[in-house]
Amino acid sequence: MSDAAYVPPKVWQHLAPSGGHFAGINRPVAGATHEKALPVGKQPLQLYSLATPNGVKVTILLEELLALGKEAEYDAWPIRISDGDQFSSGFVEVNPNSKIPALLDRSAATPIRVFESGSILLYLAEKFGAFLPADAAGRTETLNWLFWQMGAAPYLGGGFGHFYAYAPEKLQYPIDRFAMEAKRQLDVLNRRLGEQHWLAGSSYSIADIAVWPWYGELVRGNLYSAGEFLSVHEYTNVVRWANTIAERPAVKRGRRVNRTWGDEAEQLAERHQASDLD
Ligand SMILES: N[C@@H](CCC(=O)N[C@@H](CS)C(=O)NCC(=O)O)C(=O)O
């Protein structure tokens, strides 16, 4: 695997799982592996997710919307990705890409499916008219940072996090390459948050909600145990911003939804009404 003399064959073949975390669920093809319908609750919004950084973006936004008094009640069902739930026929109908989070809005005459966390944040912000400025400049700056997160985080998660925390061997080349990129991204955020209180300017928005579970949790030492390795304390504006967001009641609630691991008091595998979190 780490053999420096490895020469790629003419045609790649999937011979065996590569080892390391998640190797058992990775496949080179898409589509369902088994027939199983998704559960449906009584709320208009059905969320199929898990409390990973991509998952909590959506539950944080939903809890923020509820805190504002919006009618954003939802059922949240856990999709246990290590067990392959994302490959059920029901899940693939809602997200053909087999990744959490996925949302089904059943309040429309024909239910609307929404996948990709950025698309879900935008859909909900527009549906409920919150956390997305209405003016062209504010809206565009929010979307700039929202799409920045979608493009940047795979380097942090799939790149740095994979090779630093999950790969079966510690390999210097990819760790160096992705640590450098992760630090560059932190510096991008640090400079921006030195100019403005929130990413999109003067108000907390879906841009902050998208970026916080990745970069906010990274600087708070809650992602890949990589805080010291990446000297995250140097990014003082990001630390200030991340700690402010962590104190929001909706963030504390949202990050518990669909959590199936860690501290038991912080876990809530399924959520069907507000009182489940009380
Ligand atoms: N770009 C997607 C990424 C979603 C994603 O990577 N989800 C991961 C968990 S954080 C997943 O479902 N992994 C399961 C798999 O790869 O089979 C989004 O933002 O929604």
Side-chain angles (χ1 to χ4, degrees):
M1 247 170 314
S2 63
D3 188 351
Y6 170 69
V7 178
K10 277 214 165 63
V11 178
W12 182 83
Q13 288 186 357
H14 188 221
L15 297 175
S18 57
H21 276 58
F22 309 117
I25 56 167
N26 295 152
R27 303 176 306 148
V29 292
T33 55
H34 57 286
E35 283 298 314
K36 191 172 177 193
L38 288 172
V40 179
K42 62 180 189 323
Q43 306 293 0
L45 297 172
Q46 298 296 306
L47 178 67
Y48 303 98
S49 193
L50 199 65
T52 67
N54 289 319
V56 302
K57 292 171 197 171
V58 177
T59 48
I60 288 174
L61 176 58
L62 286 164
E63 293 298 328
E64 293 281 13
L65 289 166
L66 289 167
L68 275 188
K70 306 282 182 183
E71 292 188 2
E73 264 303 345
Y74 65 105
D75 288 285
W77 305 95
I79 297 296
R80 293 182 166 84
I81 59 176
S82 344
D83 297 347
D85 291 354
Q86 69 276 36
F87 302 116
S88 74
S89 53
F91 190 85
V92 171
E93 272 170 36
V94 183
N95 183 359
N97 195 39
S98 284
K99 309 260 179 205
I100 67 92
L103 179 79
L104 195 62
D105 182 353
R106 300 179 82 248
S107 67
T110 304
I112 297 176
R113 75 175 188 188
V114 200
F115 60 87
E116 282 293 320
S117 59
S119 180
I120 299 174
L121 295 184
L122 186 53
Y123 178 83
L124 292 172
E126 286 184 330
K127 179 179 171 89
F128 293 104
F131 303 110
L132 179 61
D135 64 293
R139 177 185 162 86
T140 303
E141 189 63 7
T142 306
L143 297 185
N144 290 342
W145 290 103
L146 179 67
F147 283 88
W148 177 85
Q149 186 279 316
M150 297 300 145
Y155 290 97
L156 177 58
F160 174 74
H162 178 80
F163 286 103
Y164 183 74
Y166 300 140
E169 293 168 69
K170 302 293 177 217
L171 303 174
Q172 188 179 351
Y173 175 77
I175 291 175
D176 275 351
R177 178 181 165 87
F178 291 117
M180 182 163 72
E181 175 62 4
K183 286 182 71 77
R184 191 195 67 80
Q185 294 177 350
L186 284 169
D187 195 32
V188 170
L189 292 174
N190 200 50
R191 288 167 192 245
R192 173 62 180 166
L193 292 166
E195 301 161 356
Q196 295 286 341
H197 196 70
W198 303 109
L199 280 174
S202 56
S203 60
Y204 175 66
S205 72
I206 51 172
D208 302 289
I209 293 173
V211 174
W212 182 83
W214 285 104
Y215 299 89
E217 286 293 70
L218 179 66
V219 299
R220 284 163 47 78
N222 296 332
L223 200 61
Y224 310 128
S225 305
E228 189 180 359
F229 183 69
L230 295 175
S231 305
V232 294
H233 63 277
E234 290 171 3
Y235 306 99
T236 51
N237 301 317
V238 185
V239 172
R240 181 267 306 157
W241 165 88
N243 287 336
T244 307
I245 293 177
E247 285 309 309
R248 295 178 70 88
V251 172
K252 290 184 179 169
R253 289 168 75 84
R255 63 183 301 287
R256 288 172 49 205
V257 178
N258 294 146
R259 188 168 293 275
T260 57
W261 65 91
D263 181 354
E264 270 188 29
E266 292 293 300
Q267 292 185 26
L268 184 68
E270 287 183 17
R271 180 225 184 265
H272 303 292
Q273 58 259 314
S275 58
D276 292 347
L277 281 159
D278 294 336

